[in-house]
Amino acid sequence: MARGPSDTIIALASGSGRAGVAVIRISGGGSAALLKGMTRLPTSGTGEAGGGVSRETSSTFPRPRHAVIRTLHDDQGGFLDEALVLWMPAPHSYTGEDVAELHVHGGPAVVEAVIGAALKTRLCRIAEPGEFTRRAFDAGRMDLTQAEAIGDLIDAETEGQRRQAGRLYQGEAARVFEGWRGLLVSAMAALEASIDFPDEADIPGEINLTALEPIEALAVDLEAALGDAGRLASVRDGFRIAILGPPNAGKSSLMNRLARREAAIVSPIPGTTRDVVEVRLVLAGYPVWVADTAGLREAADAIEAEGIRRALTRAEEADLRIWVSDASDVSRETSSTFREGDLRVLNKADLLNGDSPPLAGSEDVFVVSARTGAGLDPLERRLAQIVRDRLETDEAPLVTRARHRELVEEALAAIERGLEGARIGIGAELVSEDLRLAARALGRITGSIDAEDLLDRIFSQFCVGK
Amino acid sequence: MITNTFDVIVIGGGHAGAEAAAAAARFGARTALVTHKLSTIGEMSCNPAIGGLGKGHLVREVDALDGVMGRAADRGGIQFRMLNRSKGPAVRGPRTQADRQLYREAVQDILREYPNLTLIEDGVEDLIVEHDRVAGVIGQSGRSWRAGAVVVTTGTFLKGLIHIGEKRIPAGRVGEAPAIGLSDRLYGLGLTMGRLKTGTPARLRSSSIDWSGIEMQPADADPIPFSFLNDRITVPQIACGITWTSAEVHAVIGDNIHKSAVYSGAIAGRGPRYCPSIEDKVKRFADRDKHQVFLEPEGLPGSEYGDTVYPNGISTSLPEDVQEAFIRKIAGLERVEIQRFGYAIEYDYVDPRELTPDLAVKKLPGLYLAGQINGTTGYEEAAGQGLVAGLNAARFAAGNDPYILDRSRAYIGVMIDDLVTRGVSEPYRMFTSRAEYRLTLRADNADQRLTEEGVSAGVVGSKRREAFHVKRSSIDAARERLQSLTLTPNEARAQGIHVNQDGKRRNGLELMGYDAVDFAKLRAVWPELSDVTPQVAEQMEIEAQYAGYLDRQEADIVAFRRDEDMRMPADLDYRAIGGLSNEAKDKLSTVRPATLGQAARIEGMTPGAITAVLGYLKRAAKKSARG
Ligand SMILES: Cc1cc2nc3c(=O)[nH]c(=O)nc-3n(C[C@H](O)[C@H](O)[C@H](O)COP(=O)(O)OP(=O)(O)OC[C@H]3O[C@@H](n4cnc5c(N)ncnc54)[C@H](O)[C@@H]3O)c2cc1C
Ligand SMILES: Nc1nc2c(ncn2[C@@H]2O[C@H](COP(=O)(O)OP(=O)(O)O)[C@@H](O)[C@H]2O)c(=O)[nH]1
Ligand SMILES: [Mg+2]
């Protein structure tokens, strides 16, 4: 069968497995016929209930957007399930097409039977992953950022991810991008007016540096948003913590404690962890990746040297570093790369016989025992607090996806080139070209690009024309 | 030999018609130009000037494609000025005032040079349509002519209606009858049509103006010709005056504004925002206490129009007595004699979305439209379209594929794409800001962009072709020489050129990228460059100055062409594409875009809709490949 987007698709919209209710969604031109067939209504004639007062009976087609109870049958007339049925005709539906939703009893067998019976009518096929959203986007029901956000919403596992995707979905990000683009178009209008209407009395002749002031400010905002982008990428992709320290300090043991499972091999032989092992946890509602690394010391062989190199790279990229050392043997500490904000863990507290190790008691130094679990609670609390502090803010998340980031970077580069050009006195047409490229890059995020905007601005700001 | 059968018939001898007829003739078509009066061929209905910002680009492009306008302007131009002279080369706009009579005569002389072009005086009342395609035209005189293709360039004449105060006079231009029958025929074809309006100011007797207190603006000392075939201008040059309106002038207008045809609501059509009437300016920009007025002579002293002045900036549809009252309040015009009063004119236009990018009417094969009838304003806009329509009519009649200029190649392409994709809501005029590839599409390099293309399209004659080839080889040679001549940083410093002391040799083009280095400087370093002509030297300077920008733009153009190369089947059924909103389906069905790129430029088209179309095309292509 040829698969075109015009055909009707069906899929389980809620999660699979046993549940109270399962929602099956159908979208496309064949939805009405399919629904009629399954609810045993004559397939010819509209069958639609008339005005709002007509009584819903099981022999009428459901009114748009009214929940009704219907018995679903297979093609032999056999009973499938009693379902709550919702009919949402085009264009006011999620996909912009005719959509029917069947809320059936949530057992896997029921779902399978209903979808199986629907497929048997040959009026529909199983939807491909993301196809409902894809159709909604194709129908212009949402812009690119919103479509992307829906993907994020569905994928959201943590509260932080959900909040961020929600803001993107509500079009907040799109509004900000459009606002930025608007600033560029305004500034261009001034430049373009001086180019296209130079004889007009009220239009400044030279490049008007005051017209570019909002663009200077915009450059700062874009930079901030990109800096912010690191934080927001963390919300999406996870906050990264690297565990570092000399061999045998108990790094792998500590990670296993944090992960509450045996992710890394713990061994008394120094240099056992040769590669980077990562586990994923949720702290303060955010996804966190904890990486266990090879111990830092003079490498005994090439493989270990490679492990150490990777450990250092990971340390460099991490959002937070935890330096582990053996509390009973702090002499072997390698803290050359210790940075402000890093945490220090003195492990093997159980071997201390009550002695207090050096540094104990200072801020962000934790004395723990990976073996007994002593001292781990304060460490975990501190980690959660750091993650929350760094990822949570009230500001709208902006640049979260790689695609957006690239385009914002492109815009910023063009803006900086243009501003620099204006400062050294290059022509208005060149400054304007850079602003145009910047506006176009931003427009590509939400998908709106329009040259008429510019002339509209010019005509509303200046009295032009002879 | 007297014949009444042609390959191409052009209706209307305005700026679009003249270019259309000439282009068809250059292609080799047996061509007829049928117009009301042979004596008004090439007439400037309004402002006696050719070129300007964006418009000058169009003239140069028409010239690069061997058209009429540039050459005629060089013969009729009496005040050449390079606008934006102090700005970058991409936004300079050649312009000249023209002596109405000299210009008109030049156009008529050039048209008479084409042996296969017949000029016929008649008003066309109707088209002959046979087997669902156009087959000829019928004149008011009762004569008829047959043709393989017809180009309509009737300007403001379709149901033209002049307004002066409360007076309404059916006319195409003042003193000329409108075209009614033809307009009915176009409605009969089911074309979407609308009304637009434009206006013109009063004409003043020059000898009654008090020039003593008026600031004068001279022509450029070294007038630069429009045509790539001319290297200098021989017509005498004059100056024009600049005066100003005042609060007093505005008061007269404000007190009488209800009498303006525009403000009394008598006019349905929309006028151009960039060419507002004086009553518009007074009303919309009430805080301004003066507006500029250029006093432009319509001819050389002593000639037919030598005593007429066009006051640029005060077009109006106020009644005659109010016009006289406010004009006489303007400095220098206190005792002015008015030769003809200003007026507004309303006329029918055809929604240009009825056209394909070769300016063919989708609903009637063989019919082409160009000029003001497509919702544009201006001679240059008309000429650019006329050339494209005339050439394509001739190609159609000969069974050739259409020749299309896209947005990355020419301002003409930008204009036509804007028209056929987005339609118009006000008379359309060219601006440099409409061209996204403005740095590439310059007035100075129009010939390098287009002449060779024009040769293969069949619209460039042999004289032009040879002249161009000579110029192109000298440009190529100069470029090669500049690339081979190099200096080390030390050598450069010895010549007074300061570059980074990085030990890298820099060639001539790279050195010209530095602000302080122009071609004259290089010539001082390498005397052997002294045989390079000034035009070629200028090209080299511009290439060097724009180098990085042009590279970035080139990358942009490559991306643009990818979408432009995705052709949309003419018979595509948009209703059959799933996932498209009804709105998107409607828009696509109205415009019937020729390429995917054009589809994306339709107003309000969402990226989602474009992805759906693209997906559909890809699947269709796959299916047909499978057979
Ligand atoms: C009052 C007025 C004010 C204007 N103001 C401006 C302005 O401020 N700025 C600006 O840029 N442009 C202005 N213009 C526009 C400019 O004049 C036109 O855009 C340009 O001339 C259009 O060229 P065209 O070839 O399309 O039509 P036109 O130059 O109008 O030529 C049309 C020709 O077709 C002939 N014709 C018409 N109907 C028939 C028929 N049925 N049979 C045979 N021949 C026919 C006519 O006789 C005429 O020769 C103005 C025009 C007018 C009339
Ligand atoms: N007594 C004691 N031993 C520990 C503790 N944590 C780790 N060890 C032991 O120290 C050795 C090295 O541990 P490992 O986690 O592999 O260290 P790594 O090399 O830093 O990853 C193992 O034998 C562990 O059992 C602790 O808190 N107390
Ligand atoms: Mg380990």
Side-chain angles (χ1 to χ4, degrees), chain B residues 11-17 34-36 45-46 55 122-124 153-157 173 176 179 182 198-200 275 343 345 371-372 377-379 382:
Chain B
I11 309 171
H15 306 277
V34 185
T35 188
H36 283 132
S45 327
C46 189
K55 288 166 168 277
D122 205 339
V124 170
T153 67
T154 48
T156 49
F157 282 66
R173 279 190 295 240
E176 296 183 47
L182 200 52
T198 185
T200 193
C275 196
Y343 61 88
I345 183 165
Q372 193 131 357
T377 175
Y379 313 134

Side-chain angles (χ1 to χ4, degrees), chain B residues 91-352:
Chain B
V91 295
R92 284 176 208 152
R95 178 186 191 268
T96 185
Q97 301 273 292
D99 178 302
R100 254 179 209 298
Q101 186 192 1
L102 286 181
Y103 183 82
R104 194 174 60 203
E105 284 170 3
V107 172
Q108 295 178 10
D109 286 351
I110 293 169
L111 291 187
R112 288 206 186 84
E113 287 168 12
Y114 294 96
N116 52 339
L117 171 58
T118 310
L119 306 179
I120 298 170
E121 191 166 272
D122 205 339
V124 170
E125 271 299 300
D126 202 358
L127 303 174
I128 303 173
V129 177
E130 283 169 10
H131 312 297
D132 291 329
R133 53 178 282 179
V134 76
V137 306
I138 302 169
Q140 283 164 346
S141 63
R143 292 178 294 175
S144 64
W145 299 270
R146 303 187 61 81
V150 171
V151 187
V152 181
T153 67
T154 48
T156 49
F157 282 66
L158 291 187
K159 296 224 170 109
L161 186 61
I162 282 180
H163 297 254
I164 307 181
E166 288 174 0
K167 268 196 282 185
R168 275 183 263 311
I169 312 156
R173 279 190 295 240
V174 78
E176 296 183 47
I180 308 287
L182 200 52
S183 184
D184 290 339
R185 163 62 83 168
L186 296 176
Y187 274 107
L189 290 175
L191 301 183
T192 308
M193 295 173 67
R195 299 288 273 173
L196 288 173
K197 71 148 205 264
T198 185
T200 193
R203 302 300 195 276
L204 314 176
R205 184 177 299 289
S206 180
S207 47
S208 65
I209 295 175
D210 176 7
W211 293 96
S212 61
I214 290 176
E215 173 195 343
M216 297 305 282
Q217 183 182 58
D220 286 343
D222 56 335
I224 299 171
F226 275 105
S227 178
F228 292 102
L229 292 179
N230 295 332
D231 50 18
R232 64 208 164 85
I233 295 300
T234 53
V235 188
Q237 301 291 294
I238 55 139
C240 71
I242 301 175
T243 182
W244 298 84
T245 61
S246 62
E248 227 186 326
V249 174
H250 297 182
V252 176
I253 294 168
D255 290 347
N256 290 284
I257 205 142
H258 56 282
K259 296 183 192 159
S260 156
V262 180
Y263 277 89
S264 64
I267 299 188
R270 274 191 66 175
R273 285 176 298 177
Y274 41 82
C275 196
S277 63
I278 186 68
E279 43 269 43
D280 267 336
K281 293 191 204 177
V282 167
K283 187 106 193 188
R284 287 188 40 221
F285 296 90
D287 52 322
R288 297 273 306 271
D289 55 6
K290 58 179 190 173
H291 294 280
Q292 219 168 14
V293 182
F294 288 84
L295 299 175
E296 306 176 341
E298 295 206 343
L300 287 173
S303 70
E304 187 183 342
Y305 299 99
D307 200 22
T308 301
V309 161
Y310 177 97
N312 198 341
I314 51 169
S315 102
T316 181
S317 62
L318 285 162
E320 283 104 334
D321 57 330
V322 182
Q323 290 193 29
E324 182 151 344
F326 88 74
I327 289 173
R328 289 194 167 173
K329 294 246 181 296
I330 296 173
L333 307 183
E334 294 83 357
R335 264 175 293 279
V336 81
E337 210 179 296
I338 293 180
Q339 291 179 325
R340 201 176 78 197
F341 286 95
Y343 61 88
I345 183 165
E346 238 192 317
Y347 52 93
D348 283 349
Y349 77 100
V350 175
D351 181 342

Side-chain angles (χ1 to χ4, degrees), chain A residues 243-256 264-273 292-295 324 326 346-351 368-374:
Chain A
I243 302 184
L244 301 152
N248 247 2
K251 299 182 296 299
S252 300
S253 307
L254 177 66
M255 185 179 81
N256 289 341
I265 310 163
V266 175
S267 111
I269 307 160
T272 308
T273 307
D292 176 28
T293 64
V324 183
D326 187 333
L346 304 176
N347 190 29
K348 307 194 187 177
D350 52 301
L351 301 181
V368 307
S369 167
R371 176 160 292 169
T372 67

